């Protein structure tokens, strides 16, 4: 299994490198991959090349590539953890309302709390509070009589998403300035076009710190797969553990959504594919999901930038077009063993 996990990680690392080079090379201005590699190597060695191509690579595309990799990895890790917490492979930060809650919180601060947003932490903090509130609401509504079914989980997530979407639409109507309207649309559809070097530190720290903490919790997450009674028997306080991990996961999701808007289905599809590759053990599953999420979102963003060039499609639209059919397929599989209204 270790050999298999190592091989999967090596393949995903190579795929990530290829995806990053493709993202740096392709766009309205196409740059030869060899030239891209020379520019990147030169910049990393301290002898940054000059000229239009170098400026496009370093100032425009590189921050976007790095943000896409961080957000994709973080959403995939968050989805993996949420699926373990609720013991349901249909769980996802977007479907459970976490991304919508983070977007709603951020939008409220952008439109009505410009002073708080100006301090830099106002938007991420509001996104975290919205994400946590949405997750808690969905979990409370879906859990009944000590059990949780796929049907109740999905219905609760849809209900919370409808409420948050209505709130966001109301804010959109009340927004007075065109810049605010554009920001609200950005949060609703998701995108990486606004990536800047000075905004990469916070999501990167959130991913590295949150991911490292979650990796140390791999064994308790594995215990949850045995069910409530089995986890209790093995010494896990499931109530406290779930509460703590919900908070940590919401923090990661809130920070990521504050930087990229609501991008759906990454946390649904990637963990499922990673589980098929390396099994359900979280010590191997989390790193594989992180790399897979980074690769997936970079490829989705590449499609978003090039499919309708010179126009750009929001990357959240691309992930939804891929993730929607995948979700329906997963739901059909789940319905074979469990009534959707159960």
């Amino acid at each position: 299994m270790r050999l298999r996990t190592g091989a999967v990680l090596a393949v995903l690392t190579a795929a990530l490198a290829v995806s990053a080079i493709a993202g740096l090379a392709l766009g309205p201005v196409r740059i030869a991959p060899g030239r891209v590699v020379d520019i990147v190597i030169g910049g990393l060695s301290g002898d940054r090349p000059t000229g239009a191509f170098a400026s496009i690579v370093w100032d425009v595309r590189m921050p976007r590539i790095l943000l896409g990799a961080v957000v994709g990895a973080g959403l995939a890790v968050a989805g993996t953890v949420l699926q373990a917490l609720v013991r349901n492979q249909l769980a996802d930060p977007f479907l459970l309302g976490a991304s919508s809650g983070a977007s709603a919180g951020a939008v409220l601060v952008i439109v009505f709390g410009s002073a708080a947003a100006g301090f830099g932490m106002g938007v991420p903090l509001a996104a975290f509070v919205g994400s946590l509130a949405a997750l808690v609401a969905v979990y409370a509504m879906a859990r009944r009589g000590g059990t949780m079914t796929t049907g109740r989980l999905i219905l609760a997530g849809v209900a919370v998403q409808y409420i948050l979407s209505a709130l966001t639409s109301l804010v959109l109507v009340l927004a007075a300035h065109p810049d605010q309207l554009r920001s609200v649309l950005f949060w609703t559809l998701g995108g990486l076009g606004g990536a800047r070097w000075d905004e990469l530190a916070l999501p990167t720290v959130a991913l590295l710190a949150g991911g490292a903490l979650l990796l140390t919790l791999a064994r308790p997450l594995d215990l949850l797969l045995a069910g409530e009674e089995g986890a209790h028997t093995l010494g896990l306080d499931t109530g406290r553990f779930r509460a703590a991990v919900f908070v940590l996961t919401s923090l990661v999701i809130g920070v990521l959504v504050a930087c990229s808007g609501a991008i759906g289905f990454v946390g649904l599809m990637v963990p499922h594919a990673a589980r098929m590759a390396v099994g359900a053990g979280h010590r191997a599953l989390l790193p594989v999901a992180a790399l897979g999420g980074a690769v997936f979102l970079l490829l989705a963003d590449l499609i978003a930038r090039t499919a309708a060039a010179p126009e750009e499609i929001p990357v959240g639209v691309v992930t939804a077009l891929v993730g929607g059919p995948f979700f329906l397929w997963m739901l059909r599989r789940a319905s074979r063993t469990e009534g959707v209204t159960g």
Side-chain angles (χ1 to χ4, degrees):
M1 179 59 71
R2 288 184 179 180
L3 182 62
R4 181 179 180 181
T5 301
V8 172
L9 289 173
V11 170
L12 287 174
T13 300
L16 181 61
V18 172
S19 302
I21 293 173
L24 293 173
L26 300 177
V29 177
R30 300 204 170 195
I31 306 172
R35 179 61 174 155
V36 168
V37 173
D38 290 340
I39 292 172
V40 172
I41 293 176
L44 293 176
S45 65
D47 184 21
R48 178 175 167 176
T50 59
F53 286 170
S55 179
I56 290 172
V57 168
W58 276 106
D59 299 330
V60 179
R61 294 180 183 172
M62 184 66 80
R64 181 170 187 153
I65 293 299
L66 294 176
L67 180 62
V70 168
V71 170
L75 291 177
V77 168
T80 303
V81 172
L82 289 177
Q83 289 172 10
L85 290 179
V86 301
R87 296 182 61 217
N88 194 310
Q89 293 187 15
L90 291 174
D92 166 75
F94 185 78
L95 294 174
L96 293 188
S99 295
S100 300
S103 294
V107 167
L108 286 171
V109 170
I110 289 172
V111 175
F112 299 116
S114 56
F119 287 105
M121 292 301 295
V123 172
L125 180 60
F128 160 65
V129 172
S131 173
L132 179 60
L135 277 177
V136 171
V138 170
Y139 184 76
M141 287 189 290
R143 189 173 178 83
R144 185 177 64 192
T147 62
M148 180 187 304
T149 66
T150 297
R152 287 204 299 271
L153 186 69
I154 294 171
L155 292 175
V158 169
V160 169
Q161 281 197 68
Y162 269 121
I163 294 171
L164 294 172
S165 296
L167 177 62
T168 305
S169 298
L170 178 61
V171 172
L172 183 63
V173 172
L174 297 177
H177 304 292
D179 290 342
Q180 292 179 339
L181 293 174
R182 284 192 293 270
S183 297
V184 171
L185 288 174
F186 166 77
W187 291 107
T188 303
L189 299 175
L192 305 173
R196 300 200 308 263
W197 281 106
D198 58 354
E199 295 180 349
L200 289 175
L202 185 60
T204 302
V205 170
L207 171 64
L208 294 178
L213 284 173
L214 291 171
L215 191 58
T216 64
L217 301 175
R219 184 176 180 276
L221 289 171
D222 289 343
L223 293 181
L224 285 179
L225 300 179
E228 297 279 341
E229 293 185 3
H232 272 299
T233 302
L234 294 171
L236 179 65
D237 187 340
T238 56
R240 289 187 177 182
F241 179 74
R242 273 199 175 98
V245 178
F246 263 132
V247 171
L248 177 58
T249 306
S250 298
L251 179 59
V252 174
I253 294 171
V255 171
L256 296 178
V257 172
C259 298
S260 67
I263 300 174
F265 296 103
V266 178
L268 173 68
M269 294 183 290
V270 174
H272 184 72
R275 209 173 281 112
M276 293 176 63
V278 296
H282 286 83
R283 188 170 299 278
L285 184 60
L286 288 174
V288 169
L291 280 175
V295 172
F296 175 74
L297 194 55
L298 287 186
L299 293 177
D301 185 56
L302 182 61
I303 294 172
R305 290 192 289 120
T306 58
E311 298 296 325
E312 182 175 318
I313 303 171
V315 69
V317 174
V318 177
T319 60
L321 289 174
V322 177
F326 182 86
F327 173 71
L328 293 175
W329 174 71
M330 289 280 292
L331 184 60
R332 183 177 180 181
R333 287 186 60 196
S335 66
R336 293 174 182 173
T337 57
E338 174 188 358
V340 172
T341 59

